[in-house]
Amino acid sequence: MNGNEVLRIVDSIHRDKSIDKEIVFEGVEQAILSAARKHFGEEEVIEVHIDRTSGQPMVKTNGREIDRDELGDILGRISAQTAKQVMIQKIREAERDTLFDEYAQLRGQIVSGTVTRNEGSAITVNIGKAEAILPRSEMIPGESHRPNERIRAVVLEVKKMGPRVRVVLSRAHPDFVRRLLELEIPEVNERIIEIRSLAREAGYRTKVAVSCADSNIDPVGACVGVRGARIRNVGEELGGERIEVVRWNDSLQVLVPNAMQPSEVEDVILCPMLGRVLVLVRDDQLSLAIGKRGQNVRLASKLVGWDIDVMTREELDQQLDQAVVAYSQIPGVSEELAEGLVSQGFLSFEDLSVIEPDELMEMGSLTQEQADVIVEYAERESERIEKEQDLRRATEKAERQSQEREQRRAEEARVSSPSVESKVPPAAESGSEASVEEAAGNKS
């Protein structure tokens, strides 16, 4: 085996396949080793090494070095075929690893590609050196893509699947919006404006909280752009998704009202023990604060990282009174402890059932046994109330279904049974009128 030929093969594979030379040398060594084992047998101790400078292979068996002529006789037709198969396998693995490393670095970044085909639950996208898939679950709801269409998506996952690399794309992930904002807004890309938090429900609405260290720059205005041009471009890429940009603040008392926009917030009450925020709004702002199907408060909760409960002042006062009365009935809970629990935001037995016994012991100067009794009582009451609510919902559902069935039956009966008037022939109607006239004439 000629050393110069080995070097030429290694260099050619390195340039054509972008595979590191050391990996190619190892592949050649593995191929020669496989061929030698086929000749000498698996029991022999065989060592193979290729000089990285001259390309000359050296083979030892049981410590004895094999000369070049003997090595050439050993690597005959069958052995050469074996070596070729091993070499091809090694190159394919190296290609896969190189491709994996390349796309793994793009995880979370935007890539552009061309749709090649639809496969039911996913579409295949050509992104250059690899074909990626965009699952239906990672598409924006309601969108569809045709072959040869250019699309952009974020690289969600990269993994090895046998000899191939599987790249999974997403247009529904929050990072897709984040990267689009970086592309559209130079200040975000240059980190002058920082995206502090982002909450998204793909296809419907996204809330973004931004901040800027330079007090002379309005981060919200810079992101929105002149007449909303910048944020509108992002929304159009997302199929008309609504993008709301709010100002970030480290204080929840300020951040929560910002996150609850466009509704107006009257007051914010923090409940640190429960990781909850009570947001008080006026009656005319309640539906706006909650949003359609709870979307506004749900996104605001994701944005700030705390659970948010929205209610009016009257609803809060009512819940406070009910909670104090309910807690006072628990064995071992004094009125003072009940008021202390309510002041910390524990407004239901469900809330009380998740309290840490140590915190309860500290609040009421209780023993471990007393705290356990209170928590167990709250758990039982919570389960009982939940069952009652489930039963009530099931009953209401059954009643609604019964009413709907009755309405359908009445509608079907009305359609299938014509009115009495429509059954009387026109001639009969005119005849009856004539008879009445004749009777009137006879009387006269």
Side-chain angles (χ1 to χ4, degrees), residues 19-39:
I19 301 175
D20 187 80
K21 286 187 177 182
E22 183 61 29
I23 295 177
V24 182
F25 275 119
E26 291 176 358
V28 176
E29 289 174 344
Q30 186 65 37
I32 295 175
L33 178 63
S34 298
R37 286 192 185 282
K38 198 173 186 69
H39 178 82

Side-chain angles (χ1 to χ4, degrees), residues 323-351:
V324 170
V325 172
Y327 291 164
S328 298
Q329 297 175 358
I330 302 176
V333 176
S334 62
E335 184 175 350
E336 181 182 357
L337 177 57
E339 292 178 352
L341 289 169
V342 170
S343 67
Q344 292 294 328
F346 294 91
L347 303 180
S348 66
F349 284 114
E350 183 180 1
D351 294 341

Side-chain angles (χ1 to χ4, degrees), residues 230-275:
R230 287 178 168 180
I231 209 68
R232 185 166 55 249
N233 292 339
V234 176
E236 289 174 355
E237 173 67 31
L238 301 173
E241 186 173 319
R242 182 179 175 183
I243 313 294
E244 298 175 7
V245 183
V246 301
R247 188 184 297 271
W248 174 269
N249 195 291
D250 292 330
S251 171
L252 284 175
Q253 296 287 354
V254 179
L255 177 61
V256 171
N258 291 347
M260 291 296 296
Q261 293 177 10
S263 64
E264 297 177 5
V265 174
E266 281 193 329
D267 196 8
V268 174
I269 302 173
L270 304 182
C271 306
M273 294 181 69
L274 284 170

Side-chain angles (χ1 to χ4, degrees), residues 315-328 342 347:
E315 290 174 339
L316 176 62
D317 292 339
Q318 184 180 4
Q319 288 196 24
L320 292 175
D321 294 339
Q322 292 176 351
V324 170
V325 172
Y327 291 164
S328 298
V342 170
L347 303 180

